[in-house]
mmCIF file of all heavy atoms in Angstrom:
data_model
loop_
_atom_site.group_PDB
_atom_site.id
_atom_site.type_symbol
_atom_site.label_atom_id
_atom_site.label_comp_id
_atom_site.label_asym_id
_atom_site.label_seq_id
_atom_site.Cartn_x
_atom_site.Cartn_y
_atom_site.Cartn_z
ATOM 1 N N ARG B 44 6.480 -59.652 56.453
ATOM 2 C CA ARG B 44 7.346 -60.767 56.128
ATOM 3 C C ARG B 44 6.599 -61.565 54.973
ATOM 4 O O ARG B 44 7.242 -62.090 54.090
ATOM 5 C CB ARG B 44 7.557 -61.683 57.269
ATOM 6 C CG ARG B 44 8.582 -61.080 58.276
ATOM 7 C CD ARG B 44 9.019 -62.116 59.254
ATOM 8 N NE ARG B 44 9.916 -61.496 60.270
ATOM 9 C CZ ARG B 44 11.275 -61.200 60.113
ATOM 10 N NH1 ARG B 44 11.730 -61.460 58.890
ATOM 11 N NH2 ARG B 44 11.950 -60.631 61.043
ATOM 12 N N ALA B 45 5.319 -61.595 55.086
ATOM 13 C CA ALA B 45 4.544 -62.397 54.060
ATOM 14 C C ALA B 45 4.617 -61.725 52.654
ATOM 15 O O ALA B 45 4.749 -62.379 51.601
ATOM 16 C CB ALA B 45 3.117 -62.574 54.469
ATOM 17 N N MET B 46 4.580 -60.394 52.692
ATOM 18 C CA MET B 46 4.585 -59.801 51.369
ATOM 19 C C MET B 46 5.916 -59.393 50.845
ATOM 20 O O MET B 46 6.178 -59.311 49.562
ATOM 21 C CB MET B 46 3.630 -58.529 51.280
ATOM 22 C CG MET B 46 3.834 -57.485 52.357
ATOM 23 S SD MET B 46 2.409 -56.259 52.141
ATOM 24 C CE MET B 46 2.128 -55.956 53.859
ATOM 25 N N GLY B 47 6.847 -59.287 51.705
ATOM 26 C CA GLY B 47 8.209 -58.920 51.340
ATOM 27 C C GLY B 47 8.345 -57.384 50.995
ATOM 28 O O GLY B 47 7.296 -56.745 50.912
ATOM 29 N N MET B 48 9.565 -56.952 50.842
ATOM 30 C CA MET B 48 9.781 -55.539 50.515
ATOM 31 C C MET B 48 9.457 -55.306 49.031
ATOM 32 O O MET B 48 9.344 -56.226 48.277
ATOM 33 C CB MET B 48 11.218 -55.173 50.797
ATOM 34 C CG MET B 48 11.527 -54.922 52.226
ATOM 35 S SD MET B 48 10.732 -53.413 52.816
ATOM 36 C CE MET B 48 11.460 -53.296 54.475
ATOM 37 N N PRO B 49 9.293 -54.046 48.628
ATOM 38 C CA PRO B 49 8.989 -53.724 47.231
ATOM 39 C C PRO B 49 10.158 -54.320 46.407
ATOM 40 O O PRO B 49 11.298 -54.249 46.759
ATOM 41 C CB PRO B 49 9.061 -52.165 47.189
ATOM 42 C CG PRO B 49 8.685 -51.701 48.562
ATOM 43 C CD PRO B 49 9.242 -52.804 49.496
ATOM 44 N N GLY B 50 9.754 -54.907 45.256
ATOM 45 C CA GLY B 50 10.801 -55.544 44.470
ATOM 46 C C GLY B 50 10.826 -54.846 43.013
ATOM 47 O O GLY B 50 9.819 -54.111 42.715
ATOM 48 N N ARG B 51 11.900 -54.954 42.367
ATOM 49 C CA ARG B 51 12.069 -54.393 41.102
ATOM 50 C C ARG B 51 11.041 -54.765 40.073
ATOM 51 O O ARG B 51 10.724 -53.992 39.134
ATOM 52 C CB ARG B 51 13.473 -54.733 40.546
ATOM 53 C CG ARG B 51 14.609 -54.242 41.369
ATOM 54 C CD ARG B 51 14.893 -52.777 41.174
ATOM 55 N NE ARG B 51 15.381 -52.553 39.777
ATOM 56 C CZ ARG B 51 16.611 -52.684 39.407
ATOM 57 N NH1 ARG B 51 17.574 -53.133 40.269
ATOM 58 N NH2 ARG B 51 16.987 -52.457 38.167
ATOM 59 N N ARG B 52 10.511 -55.949 40.236
ATOM 60 C CA ARG B 52 9.486 -56.488 39.300
ATOM 61 C C ARG B 52 8.046 -56.087 39.739
ATOM 62 O O ARG B 52 7.125 -56.407 39.023
ATOM 63 C CB ARG B 52 9.544 -58.012 39.236
ATOM 64 C CG ARG B 52 10.846 -58.541 38.877
ATOM 65 C CD ARG B 52 11.099 -58.335 37.386
ATOM 66 N NE ARG B 52 12.361 -58.974 36.995
ATOM 67 C CZ ARG B 52 12.592 -60.189 36.645
ATOM 68 N NH1 ARG B 52 11.584 -60.989 36.532
ATOM 69 N NH2 ARG B 52 13.799 -60.638 36.277
ATOM 70 N N ASP B 53 7.888 -55.461 40.916
ATOM 71 C CA ASP B 53 6.541 -55.115 41.333
ATOM 72 C C ASP B 53 5.976 -54.001 40.440
ATOM 73 O O ASP B 53 6.586 -52.944 40.256
ATOM 74 C CB ASP B 53 6.534 -54.646 42.769
ATOM 75 C CG ASP B 53 6.879 -55.704 43.751
ATOM 76 O OD1 ASP B 53 6.962 -56.878 43.333
ATOM 77 O OD2 ASP B 53 7.067 -55.469 44.917
ATOM 78 N N GLU B 54 4.788 -54.243 39.931
ATOM 79 C CA GLU B 54 4.097 -53.286 39.118
ATOM 80 C C GLU B 54 3.964 -51.979 39.862
ATOM 81 O O GLU B 54 4.129 -50.832 39.258
ATOM 82 C CB GLU B 54 2.733 -53.829 38.714
ATOM 83 C CG GLU B 54 1.956 -53.101 37.724
ATOM 84 C CD GLU B 54 2.515 -53.042 36.357
ATOM 85 O OE1 GLU B 54 3.367 -53.976 36.038
ATOM 86 O OE2 GLU B 54 2.249 -52.093 35.581
ATOM 87 N N TYR B 55 3.711 -51.977 41.128
ATOM 88 C CA TYR B 55 3.462 -50.814 41.828
ATOM 89 C C TYR B 55 4.735 -49.966 42.171
ATOM 90 O O TYR B 55 4.657 -48.871 42.544
ATOM 91 C CB TYR B 55 2.827 -51.156 43.263
ATOM 92 C CG TYR B 55 1.666 -50.252 43.657
ATOM 93 C CD1 TYR B 55 0.648 -49.876 42.756
ATOM 94 C CD2 TYR B 55 1.636 -49.744 45.016
ATOM 95 C CE1 TYR B 55 -0.369 -49.158 43.096
ATOM 96 C CE2 TYR B 55 0.538 -48.962 45.321
ATOM 97 C CZ TYR B 55 -0.414 -48.563 44.414
ATOM 98 O OH TYR B 55 -1.484 -47.839 44.823
ATOM 99 N N TRP B 56 5.835 -50.614 41.869
ATOM 100 C CA TRP B 56 7.111 -49.923 42.044
ATOM 101 C C TRP B 56 7.969 -49.801 40.735
ATOM 102 O O TRP B 56 9.116 -49.772 40.684
ATOM 103 C CB TRP B 56 7.957 -50.640 43.142
ATOM 104 C CG TRP B 56 7.306 -50.376 44.519
ATOM 105 C CD1 TRP B 56 6.308 -51.154 45.106
ATOM 106 C CD2 TRP B 56 7.637 -49.292 45.385
ATOM 107 N NE1 TRP B 56 6.049 -50.599 46.334
ATOM 108 C CE2 TRP B 56 6.769 -49.438 46.533
ATOM 109 C CE3 TRP B 56 8.419 -48.193 45.386
ATOM 110 C CZ2 TRP B 56 6.794 -48.582 47.592
ATOM 111 C CZ3 TRP B 56 8.451 -47.331 46.458
ATOM 112 C CH2 TRP B 56 7.636 -47.567 47.554
ATOM 113 N N LYS B 57 7.232 -49.821 39.665
ATOM 114 C CA LYS B 57 7.791 -49.902 38.363
ATOM 115 C C LYS B 57 8.628 -48.610 38.091
ATOM 116 O O LYS B 57 9.651 -48.560 37.414
ATOM 117 C CB LYS B 57 6.724 -49.974 37.276
ATOM 118 C CG LYS B 57 7.114 -50.317 35.941
ATOM 119 C CD LYS B 57 5.908 -50.680 35.153
ATOM 120 C CE LYS B 57 6.151 -50.490 33.667
ATOM 121 N NZ LYS B 57 4.886 -50.605 32.924
ATOM 122 N N TYR B 58 8.048 -47.453 38.536
ATOM 123 C CA TYR B 58 8.687 -46.194 38.251
ATOM 124 C C TYR B 58 9.479 -45.607 39.352
ATOM 125 O O TYR B 58 10.128 -44.582 39.243
ATOM 126 C CB TYR B 58 7.535 -45.151 37.928
ATOM 127 C CG TYR B 58 6.671 -45.568 36.797
ATOM 128 C CD1 TYR B 58 5.257 -45.504 36.958
ATOM 129 C CD2 TYR B 58 7.152 -45.988 35.623
ATOM 130 C CE1 TYR B 58 4.377 -45.794 35.863
ATOM 131 C CE2 TYR B 58 6.271 -46.273 34.535
ATOM 132 C CZ TYR B 58 4.963 -46.220 34.692
ATOM 133 O OH TYR B 58 4.109 -46.523 33.660
ATOM 134 N N THR B 59 9.469 -46.265 40.518
ATOM 135 C CA THR B 59 10.215 -45.700 41.661
ATOM 136 C C THR B 59 11.018 -46.820 42.265
ATOM 137 O O THR B 59 10.441 -47.869 42.537
ATOM 138 C CB THR B 59 9.275 -45.072 42.727
ATOM 139 O OG1 THR B 59 8.499 -43.959 42.096
ATOM 140 C CG2 THR B 59 9.970 -44.539 43.981
ATOM 141 N N ARG B 60 12.254 -46.559 42.552
ATOM 142 C CA ARG B 60 13.080 -47.533 43.170
ATOM 143 C C ARG B 60 13.075 -47.397 44.713
ATOM 144 O O ARG B 60 13.365 -46.269 45.206
ATOM 145 C CB ARG B 60 14.589 -47.515 42.641
ATOM 146 C CG ARG B 60 14.586 -47.881 41.181
ATOM 147 C CD ARG B 60 16.006 -48.204 40.789
ATOM 148 N NE ARG B 60 16.620 -49.204 41.666
ATOM 149 C CZ ARG B 60 17.840 -49.821 41.325
ATOM 150 N NH1 ARG B 60 18.452 -49.460 40.262
ATOM 151 N NH2 ARG B 60 18.344 -50.647 42.171
ATOM 152 N N ALA B 61 12.758 -48.468 45.413
ATOM 153 C CA ALA B 61 12.585 -48.295 46.832
ATOM 154 C C ALA B 61 13.788 -48.467 47.621
ATOM 155 O O ALA B 61 13.824 -48.363 48.848
ATOM 156 C CB ALA B 61 11.483 -49.287 47.260
ATOM 157 N N ASP B 62 14.875 -48.872 47.003
ATOM 158 C CA ASP B 62 16.129 -49.242 47.724
ATOM 159 C C ASP B 62 16.393 -48.413 48.872
ATOM 160 O O ASP B 62 16.696 -48.805 49.984
ATOM 161 C CB ASP B 62 17.329 -49.227 46.790
ATOM 162 C CG ASP B 62 17.084 -50.138 45.534
ATOM 163 O OD1 ASP B 62 15.980 -50.034 44.884
ATOM 164 O OD2 ASP B 62 17.993 -50.932 45.097
ATOM 165 N N ALA B 63 16.504 -47.066 48.643
ATOM 166 C CA ALA B 63 16.914 -46.154 49.735
ATOM 167 C C ALA B 63 15.895 -46.149 50.929
ATOM 168 O O ALA B 63 16.203 -45.839 51.992
ATOM 169 C CB ALA B 63 17.041 -44.715 49.160
ATOM 170 N N LEU B 64 14.645 -46.555 50.550
ATOM 171 C CA LEU B 64 13.648 -46.527 51.541
ATOM 172 C C LEU B 64 13.698 -47.814 52.404
ATOM 173 O O LEU B 64 13.125 -47.878 53.495
ATOM 174 C CB LEU B 64 12.285 -46.409 50.967
ATOM 175 C CG LEU B 64 11.997 -45.090 50.138
ATOM 176 C CD1 LEU B 64 10.711 -45.118 49.448
ATOM 177 C CD2 LEU B 64 12.048 -43.838 51.080
ATOM 178 N N MET B 65 14.337 -48.910 51.876
ATOM 179 C CA MET B 65 14.237 -50.151 52.589
ATOM 180 C C MET B 65 15.639 -50.655 53.060
ATOM 181 O O MET B 65 15.702 -51.667 53.734
ATOM 182 C CB MET B 65 13.568 -51.172 51.722
ATOM 183 C CG MET B 65 14.224 -51.446 50.396
ATOM 184 S SD MET B 65 13.067 -52.285 49.320
ATOM 185 C CE MET B 65 14.165 -53.437 48.549
ATOM 186 N N GLN B 66 16.705 -49.916 52.713
ATOM 187 C CA GLN B 66 17.997 -50.363 53.105
ATOM 188 C C GLN B 66 18.074 -50.251 54.636
ATOM 189 O O GLN B 66 17.276 -49.554 55.182
ATOM 190 C CB GLN B 66 19.178 -49.699 52.397
ATOM 191 C CG GLN B 66 19.242 -48.245 52.863
ATOM 192 C CD GLN B 66 20.274 -47.519 51.913
ATOM 193 O OE1 GLN B 66 20.247 -47.540 50.740
ATOM 194 N NE2 GLN B 66 21.240 -46.841 52.628
ATOM 195 N N ASN B 67 19.022 -50.970 55.309
ATOM 196 C CA ASN B 67 19.052 -50.957 56.749
ATOM 197 C C ASN B 67 19.218 -49.573 57.366
ATOM 198 O O ASN B 67 18.524 -49.200 58.256
ATOM 199 C CB ASN B 67 20.152 -51.914 57.270
ATOM 200 C CG ASN B 67 20.151 -51.908 58.820
ATOM 201 O OD1 ASN B 67 20.911 -51.289 59.435
ATOM 202 N ND2 ASN B 67 19.236 -52.705 59.330
ATOM 203 N N GLU B 68 20.185 -48.839 56.867
ATOM 204 C CA GLU B 68 20.416 -47.506 57.442
ATOM 205 C C GLU B 68 20.012 -46.475 56.478
ATOM 206 O O GLU B 68 19.988 -46.541 55.229
ATOM 207 C CB GLU B 68 21.892 -47.345 57.690
ATOM 208 C CG GLU B 68 22.335 -48.142 58.957
ATOM 209 C CD GLU B 68 23.779 -48.002 59.228
ATOM 210 O OE1 GLU B 68 24.542 -47.399 58.394
ATOM 211 O OE2 GLU B 68 24.236 -48.541 60.342
ATOM 212 N N ALA B 69 19.549 -45.335 57.041
ATOM 213 C CA ALA B 69 19.160 -44.186 56.214
ATOM 214 C C ALA B 69 20.347 -43.647 55.418
ATOM 215 O O ALA B 69 21.356 -43.490 56.026
ATOM 216 C CB ALA B 69 18.614 -43.117 57.109
ATOM 217 N N PRO B 70 20.217 -43.437 54.178
ATOM 218 C CA PRO B 70 21.325 -42.758 53.446
ATOM 219 C C PRO B 70 21.433 -41.340 53.946
ATOM 220 O O PRO B 70 20.435 -40.726 54.366
ATOM 221 C CB PRO B 70 20.749 -42.741 51.953
ATOM 222 C CG PRO B 70 19.557 -43.563 51.933
ATOM 223 C CD PRO B 70 19.003 -43.685 53.345
ATOM 224 N N GLU B 71 22.658 -40.952 53.981
ATOM 225 C CA GLU B 71 22.891 -39.635 54.618
ATOM 226 C C GLU B 71 22.185 -38.481 53.809
ATOM 227 O O GLU B 71 22.093 -38.527 52.599
ATOM 228 C CB GLU B 71 24.438 -39.292 54.539
ATOM 229 C CG GLU B 71 25.079 -39.847 55.745
ATOM 230 C CD GLU B 71 26.528 -39.290 55.978
ATOM 231 O OE1 GLU B 71 26.751 -38.044 55.609
ATOM 232 O OE2 GLU B 71 27.360 -40.015 56.479
ATOM 233 N N ALA B 72 21.809 -37.510 54.549
ATOM 234 C CA ALA B 72 21.164 -36.389 53.946
ATOM 235 C C ALA B 72 21.538 -35.086 54.700
ATOM 236 O O ALA B 72 21.419 -34.960 55.893
ATOM 237 C CB ALA B 72 19.598 -36.480 53.934
ATOM 238 N N GLU B 73 22.187 -34.178 53.941
ATOM 239 C CA GLU B 73 22.670 -32.941 54.559
ATOM 240 C C GLU B 73 21.452 -32.169 55.103
ATOM 241 O O GLU B 73 20.349 -32.189 54.479
ATOM 242 C CB GLU B 73 23.346 -32.105 53.522
ATOM 243 C CG GLU B 73 24.856 -32.341 53.397
ATOM 244 C CD GLU B 73 25.387 -31.600 52.216
ATOM 245 O OE1 GLU B 73 24.937 -30.412 52.021
ATOM 246 O OE2 GLU B 73 26.292 -32.147 51.562
ATOM 247 N N VAL B 74 21.671 -31.374 56.076
ATOM 248 C CA VAL B 74 20.559 -30.534 56.608
ATOM 249 C C VAL B 74 20.753 -29.199 55.706
ATOM 250 O O VAL B 74 21.817 -28.599 55.614
ATOM 251 C CB VAL B 74 20.818 -30.202 58.059
ATOM 252 C CG1 VAL B 74 19.766 -29.242 58.526
ATOM 253 C CG2 VAL B 74 20.668 -31.487 58.878
ATOM 254 N N PHE B 75 19.689 -28.952 55.052
ATOM 255 C CA PHE B 75 19.720 -27.791 54.160
ATOM 256 C C PHE B 75 19.553 -26.500 54.922
ATOM 257 O O PHE B 75 18.567 -26.336 55.615
ATOM 258 C CB PHE B 75 18.526 -27.974 53.090
ATOM 259 C CG PHE B 75 18.524 -26.931 52.042
ATOM 260 C CD1 PHE B 75 19.732 -26.540 51.444
ATOM 261 C CD2 PHE B 75 17.340 -26.385 51.647
ATOM 262 C CE1 PHE B 75 19.689 -25.609 50.373
ATOM 263 C CE2 PHE B 75 17.335 -25.439 50.655
ATOM 264 C CZ PHE B 75 18.521 -25.025 49.979
ATOM 265 N N ASP B 76 20.548 -25.705 54.765
ATOM 266 C CA ASP B 76 20.513 -24.462 55.520
ATOM 267 C C ASP B 76 20.085 -23.338 54.586
ATOM 268 O O ASP B 76 20.682 -22.992 53.658
ATOM 269 C CB ASP B 76 21.962 -24.130 55.941
ATOM 270 C CG ASP B 76 22.033 -22.992 56.944
ATOM 271 O OD1 ASP B 76 20.981 -22.766 57.505
ATOM 272 O OD2 ASP B 76 23.152 -22.540 57.135
ATOM 273 N N HIS B 77 18.890 -22.808 54.854
ATOM 274 C CA HIS B 77 18.409 -21.658 53.961
ATOM 275 C C HIS B 77 17.811 -20.670 54.850
ATOM 276 O O HIS B 77 17.449 -20.907 56.072
ATOM 277 C CB HIS B 77 17.466 -22.209 52.937
ATOM 278 C CG HIS B 77 16.259 -22.841 53.574
ATOM 279 N ND1 HIS B 77 15.176 -22.121 54.050
ATOM 280 C CD2 HIS B 77 15.902 -24.140 53.785
ATOM 281 C CE1 HIS B 77 14.238 -22.899 54.516
ATOM 282 N NE2 HIS B 77 14.680 -24.201 54.450
ATOM 283 N N ASP B 78 17.582 -19.490 54.226
ATOM 284 C CA ASP B 78 17.092 -18.395 55.135
ATOM 285 C C ASP B 78 15.602 -18.076 54.837
ATOM 286 O O ASP B 78 15.057 -17.116 55.304
ATOM 287 C CB ASP B 78 17.917 -17.115 54.857
ATOM 288 C CG ASP B 78 17.931 -16.738 53.329
ATOM 289 O OD1 ASP B 78 17.155 -17.467 52.561
ATOM 290 O OD2 ASP B 78 18.657 -15.866 52.967
ATOM 291 N N GLU B 79 14.944 -19.000 54.232
ATOM 292 C CA GLU B 79 13.468 -18.865 54.031
ATOM 293 C C GLU B 79 12.803 -19.096 55.359
ATOM 294 O O GLU B 79 13.015 -20.023 56.051
ATOM 295 C CB GLU B 79 13.005 -19.867 52.973
ATOM 296 C CG GLU B 79 11.622 -19.522 52.374
ATOM 297 C CD GLU B 79 11.097 -20.515 51.487
ATOM 298 O OE1 GLU B 79 11.353 -21.714 51.641
ATOM 299 O OE2 GLU B 79 10.518 -20.138 50.467
#
Side-chain angles (χ1 to χ4, degrees):
Chain B
R44 289 197 184 280
M46 55 189 139
M48 281 292 187
R51 299 280 295 279
R52 303 284 182 90
D53 292 355
E54 189 64 22
Y55 222 47
W56 290 88
K57 193 169 155 189
Y58 302 132
T59 297
R60 291 195 56 169
D62 305 45
L64 299 171
M65 61 196 218
Q66 70 187 53
N67 181 262
E68 285 178 354
E71 275 197 30
E73 272 174 37
V74 176
F75 185 43
D76 192 18
H77 61 80
D78 55 7
E79 195 182 39

